[in-house]
Amino acid sequence: AQSVTQLGSHVSVSEGALVLLRCNYSSSVPPYLFWYVQYPNQGLQLLLKYTTGATLVKGINGFEAEFKKSETSFHLTKPSAHMSDAAEYFCAVNNDYKLSFGAGTTVTVRA
Amino acid sequence: DAGVIQSPRHEVTEMGQEVTLRCKPISGHDYLFWYRQTMMRGLELLIYFNNNVPIDDSGMPEDRFSAKMPNASFSTLKIQPSEPRDSAVYFCASSSPGVIPDTQYFGPGTRLTVL
């Protein structure tokens, strides 16, 4: 079965600094990969997804992720953090029509 | 569209009581998923439906849990009897049909506390 591993359960960044969240996947078939964000007391919201085609995927709120098959990675980045980016972020991979989620990374943004 | 609707948003009950969580998926979506989120176990898929039919219930923790989808616009997750270890946030999500796995749209969740 496909799975993902998120490196780092907590990330703290200064406002305006680069946000980098790491995700590695394990898959025996070409994976479909997703990043979701969860704000406090809310459900998960899709940031971006990779299915096929271009390996650099742009999402909402200025986030992007690059699919690197050679590194089995799908890291999420944002050039300049904003206070509103404080949330928990989940990487996920498909297993047929199911999603397997990573453990999540909580992002704190310092003023 | 109103998105995925879940009710109630919060539920506090006593051990041994029956709990019913409700979900209305986005109109036109034919996949419906029930997840549970806890600090210890993260996000777990409990069960999912396609066209109102349960496809995979391997994540349902035990016989105390049951889920139904009587029609395309309504699903329930029932716990009977409830136990303190069932305390968690339960999410419902839906997705539209397609050749490839599509985006899942999540509801706001139901926070369940079993005393």
Side-chain angles (χ1 to χ4, degrees):
Chain A
Q2 285 67 256
S3 65
V4 292
T5 301
Q6 291 183 241
L7 303 177
S9 59
H10 290 88
V11 169
S12 180
V13 299
S14 297
E15 193 172 20
L18 171 72
V19 180
L20 170 61
L21 305 183
R22 301 179 187 274
C23 174
N24 287 92
Y25 69 89
S26 172
S27 179
S28 58
V29 298
Y32 300 128
L33 294 159
F34 304 77
W35 275 100
Y36 280 83
V37 61
Q38 184 179 28
Y39 299 103
N41 299 313
Q42 294 187 27
L44 280 72
Q45 178 184 1
L46 181 73
L47 275 177
L48 49 81
K49 64 181 178 182
Y50 169 78
T51 53
T52 58
T55 57
L56 182 62
V57 181
K58 295 187 183 297
I60 63 172
N61 301 339
F63 284 92
E64 63 181 34
E66 187 170 10
F67 172 68
K68 292 186 176 180
K69 184 178 179 180
S70 61
E71 298 178 8
T72 61
S73 69
F74 190 57
H75 301 333
L76 180 72
T77 61
K78 181 174 180 177
S80 177
H82 190 272
M83 298 298 288
S84 61
D85 295 326
E88 190 164 18
Y89 294 78
F90 293 91
C91 182
V93 65
N94 72 294
N95 276 288
D96 295 325
Y97 282 90
K98 302 186 293 185
L99 287 179
S100 295
F101 286 89
T105 299
T106 300
V107 172
T108 303
V109 182
R110 305 186 303 272
Chain B
D1 200 315
V4 176
I5 299 172
Q6 291 187 248
S7 64
R9 292 293 311 275
H10 301 272
E11 177 80 35
V12 180
T13 190
E14 293 188 347
M15 182 175 62
Q17 296 298 305
E18 177 180 294
V19 175
T20 299
L21 311 181
R22 297 173 176 80
C23 175
K24 176 179 170 56
I26 294 172
S27 178
H29 284 189
D30 64 353
Y31 282 88
L32 184 138
F33 306 81
W34 281 102
Y35 291 89
R36 178 171 67 176
Q37 185 179 37
T38 61
M39 290 292 291
M40 292 297 295
R41 301 175 67 91
L43 268 165
E44 304 173 276
L45 177 67
L46 301 178
I47 185 172
Y48 80 96
F49 296 82
N50 178 220
N51 290 321
N52 313 334
V53 176
I55 303 301
D56 186 343
D57 65 355
S58 60
M60 297 285 264
E62 48 197 276
D63 293 345
R64 296 184 298 107
F65 286 71
S66 62
K68 294 181 179 179
M69 193 165 186
N71 57 62
S73 59
F74 184 66
S75 177
T76 60
L77 178 67
K78 186 176 294 186
I79 308 173
Q80 166 63 17
S82 58
E83 297 182 2
R85 59 191 168 124
D86 301 330
S87 296
V89 181
Y90 291 82
F91 290 103
C92 175
S94 69
S95 67
S96 59
V99 177
I100 58 173
D102 203 351
T103 302
Q104 292 185 20
Y105 294 85
F106 282 73
T110 295
R111 183 174 297 275
L112 173 65
T113 303
V114 183
L115 304 175

